[in-house]
Amino acid sequence: GSDYAGAIVGKGLCARLENCHVDGGSITVNVLNNDGGAKAGGIVGYLTAQNVAHLKGSSVKNMTIRAFRDVAGAVGMAQSTACIIDDVLVENVTVIADRYIETYKDNPFPAANAGEVVGRRDNNPDPTNVTVNNVVVKVLEVDANGNATVGSQEDFNYALKHGATNITVETPGTYSFPVAQGKDLTIKGNKEVVFTLTSSQALSGTGVTFEGVTIQGAKETYKGYHHTKYVTFKDCQINDMIFLYSPTNFENCVFNS
């Protein structure tokens, strides 16, 4: 959907939710036509009151909830002083504000408003008697210092295009470089994150440091990172051959032929 998503209620106007329990599953709210992508919660996407509304005695467990903004473990957005959130458990939940989009109706982008229990609060009192266990909140965006966390090739391409220089790849898979010339990049991940070689000038003038990832070399000749300024491999696993085209350092690497 584009707005208002919850496992039990999407848009809760004057809704009174009690003893609601969600265990397992995922919710994703996407941007559509440069709008929306907002108000996603494990129980209710949007909770507001003209006289009274509440969420009480409820829980969310073992879920992943993703949206562009206004996203949280229980309530995506809570609005008004008469909207009460009390006695709520959020456990083993991942909340993701995915900001990797090209355009949106508002520029600059509105705030992510990602939270453990409630995402965005508008004139709303603090939740009471809340328990939070093992809840991870991630905001996927390129920050002011060039840091970014990505989970797909598409996200990786976006991060490079939008100025990221220190990229952590958190999802296993095989990745390749788009054009990323004239930068100094650090790419981090684990051994299940695999980077292929290039046979073009995609990295011309770029210095690259790989940390912790696997580099998939080639059986054939001349494959490497062409026209780079330098390449450094730290704690990497390197499979097959790599041809070197710039100053190259290997630190604590494992080579598999």
Side-chain angles (χ1 to χ4, degrees):
S2 180
D3 270 312
Y4 307 112
I8 295 176
V9 175
K11 190 173 184 179
L13 175 61
C14 300
R16 303 177 188 183
L17 305 173
E18 300 179 15
N19 197 29
C20 297
H21 303 283
V22 180
D23 192 346
S26 64
I27 294 171
T28 299
V29 178
N30 296 314
V31 170
L32 181 64
N33 297 326
N34 298 326
D35 197 359
K39 303 176 183 68
I43 293 175
V44 54
Y46 176 60
L47 187 63
T48 187
Q50 291 179 344
N51 50 15
V52 65
H54 61 240
L55 174 65
K56 297 182 178 181
S58 299
S59 67
V60 182
K61 299 180 181 179
N62 306 311
M63 288 194 74
T64 298
I65 305 153
R66 178 188 293 259
F68 172 65
R69 62 186 177 96
D70 306 346
V71 55
V75 182
M77 178 178 176
Q79 187 174 34
S80 95
T81 56
C83 179
I84 304 301
I85 299 167
D86 178 65
D87 188 20
V88 173
L89 166 68
V90 182
E91 184 173 80
N92 298 330
V93 170
T94 299
V95 175
I96 302 170
D98 188 345
R99 317 283 283 172
Y100 292 146
I101 63 170
E102 291 292 343
T103 59
Y104 197 72
K105 67 172 185 175
D106 299 319
N107 191 14
F109 289 169
N113 296 321
E116 295 176 327
V117 180
V118 181
R120 179 180 170 191
R121 293 169 52 216
D122 182 3
N123 198 27
N124 176 248
D126 291 338
T128 54
N129 302 312
V130 169
T131 302
V132 174
N133 295 321
N134 192 33
V135 176
V136 177
V137 178
K138 300 179 183 180
V139 179
L140 302 184
E141 63 185 355
V142 180
D143 71 16
N145 295 317
N147 300 307
T149 299
V150 303
S152 68
Q153 180 71 57
E154 182 181 22
D155 288 354
F156 183 70
N157 295 353
Y158 178 98
L160 285 173
K161 180 180 178 181
H162 290 269
T165 55
N166 186 12
I167 301 175
T168 300
V169 183
E170 64 176 6
T171 303
T174 299
Y175 295 80
S176 61
F177 276 95
V179 174
Q181 298 180 346
K183 302 183 178 186
D184 288 297
L185 303 174
T186 298
I187 311 297
K188 301 176 183 178
N190 60 35
K191 297 302 186 292
E192 294 182 331
V193 173
V194 180
F195 275 86
T196 59
L197 304 180
T198 66
S199 56
S200 68
Q201 297 186 29
L203 296 176
S204 181
T206 290
V208 186
T209 299
F210 294 98
E211 295 187 15
V213 302
T214 293
I215 306 297
Q216 183 55 57
K219 301 292 185 183
E220 64 269 30
T221 56
Y222 306 120
K223 292 293 184 71
Y225 294 109
H226 296 245
H227 302 278
T228 45
K229 184 166 57 176
Y230 64 84
V231 182
T232 297
F233 302 96
K234 295 182 179 180
D235 302 311
C236 292
Q237 176 177 305
I238 299 172
N239 299 331
D240 297 325
M241 291 191 299
I242 300 178
F243 275 66
L244 307 180
Y245 293 95
S246 62
T248 304
N249 293 314
F250 298 95
E251 301 178 17
N252 195 34
C253 294
V254 175
F255 296 84
N256 296 320
S257 60

